[in-house]
Amino acid sequence: MGVSTTSPGKGIRLVTVDHPPVNALPVRGWYELADALRAAGRDPEVRCVVLAAAGRGFNAGVDIKEMQRDTGHEALIGANRGCYEAFAAVYECEVPVIAAVNGFCLGGGIGLVGNADAIVAGDDATFGLPELDRGALGAATHLARLVPQHLMRALYYTSRTATAAELHAHGSVWKVVPREELLDAALELAGEIARKDGYLIRLAKAAINGIDPVDVRRSYRFEQGFTFEANLSGVAGRVRETFGKEA
């Protein structure tokens, strides 16, 4: 359990997250993921990274129960910093990162896939930000990279989800495949990328990030300020206490 790294093909690094039961990551889990992604990007033999997850879903965001056990703000600050580092590690990885998404992709999961270079999704995948139902804010920066602006706002305010097929229609998901074919499809795309010249693919990643119209690190950091304000005001705690108690 945790974060593991394998090399399933020449030039490909597979980073797999496994935090049962739902891949809701504790603070240390976000840092472990960031470290694994940065290590993969630094390896000169790697030309593409595939980010996948074991179990029921790709990612359920932060570990809310870890926050509930904390009587102060240490867990919140840790989660904020950990998510910030993990999202940045995807975006700043020196080579392209493909997200292979199965099942639910919620909260922090949107931060990961929104910063990825490509997304391959199983036909069971759903994407959303239930932040307002969890006493949190954030990752609108990344959801806005997946869907048009007005749809992003509606999804954010309602906490609704979008299917892989819907995101494919918007052009943000490369391919939707049956769940059992997900990893093979992601590795196929990774293999196509990995056949490019390694030095050139790294230049391409840096160039594309350089022309990005939104500074994702600064944008997300701005959002995190409101997350902390919600906690200081007490409203986040009141909402978070309802987690797991919905009728």
Side-chain angles (χ1 to χ4, degrees), residues 49 96-101 113 115-120 172-174 189 193:
V49 173
V97 176
I98 298 169
V101 182
V113 303
N115 272 357
D117 294 275
I119 303 168
V120 178
S172 50
V173 166
W174 172 260
L189 176 58
I193 294 171

Side-chain angles (χ1 to χ4, degrees), residues 31-226:
Y31 282 106
E32 289 175 358
L33 178 54
D35 289 344
L37 290 164
R38 293 193 186 282
R42 287 193 300 265
D43 187 336
E45 298 301 317
V46 174
R47 299 181 182 181
C48 188
V49 173
V50 174
L51 175 59
R56 294 162 50 189
F58 179 78
N59 189 280
V62 303
D63 186 348
I64 297 295
K65 293 181 179 178
E66 183 178 43
M67 289 191 182
Q68 290 175 328
R69 292 191 297 268
D70 185 11
T71 57
H73 298 298
E74 185 176 348
L76 171 65
I77 293 171
N80 275 0
R81 290 178 176 173
C83 286
Y84 185 79
E85 288 302 320
F87 301 170
V90 174
Y91 187 78
E92 295 168 356
C93 184
E94 289 93 331
V95 298
V97 176
I98 298 169
V101 182
N102 63 296
F104 45 80
C105 179
L106 305 171
I110 295 295
L112 297 172
V113 303
N115 272 357
D117 294 275
I119 303 168
V120 178
D123 54 10
D124 63 336
T126 55
F127 302 77
L129 287 177
E131 311 306 272
L132 293 184
D133 290 340
R134 300 294 182 260
L137 297 168
T141 292
H142 311 92
L143 184 59
R145 296 166 68 82
L146 302 176
V147 297
Q149 181 71 209
H150 285 84
L151 179 56
M152 179 276 287
R153 288 171 179 256
L155 290 172
Y156 195 93
Y157 296 146
T158 62
S159 297
R160 292 194 185 191
T161 59
T163 66
E166 289 171 329
L167 264 61
H168 183 263
H170 289 296
S172 50
V173 166
W174 172 260
K175 182 181 288 188
V176 180
V177 298
R179 170 65 183 87
E180 60 272 16
E181 299 174 14
L182 174 59
L183 187 55
D184 287 341
L187 291 174
E188 180 182 11
L189 176 58
E192 184 175 348
I193 294 171
R195 287 192 290 273
K196 306 298 183 184
D197 181 86
Y199 184 72
L200 195 59
I201 201 70
R202 289 167 182 266
L203 288 179
K205 175 67 180 276
I208 290 174
N209 278 7
I211 63 170
D212 212 323
V214 174
D215 182 335
V216 293
R217 291 194 70 156
R218 184 170 62 183
S219 180
Y220 178 54
R221 194 61 171 163
F222 178 81
E223 289 188 74
Q224 287 188 320
F226 289 95

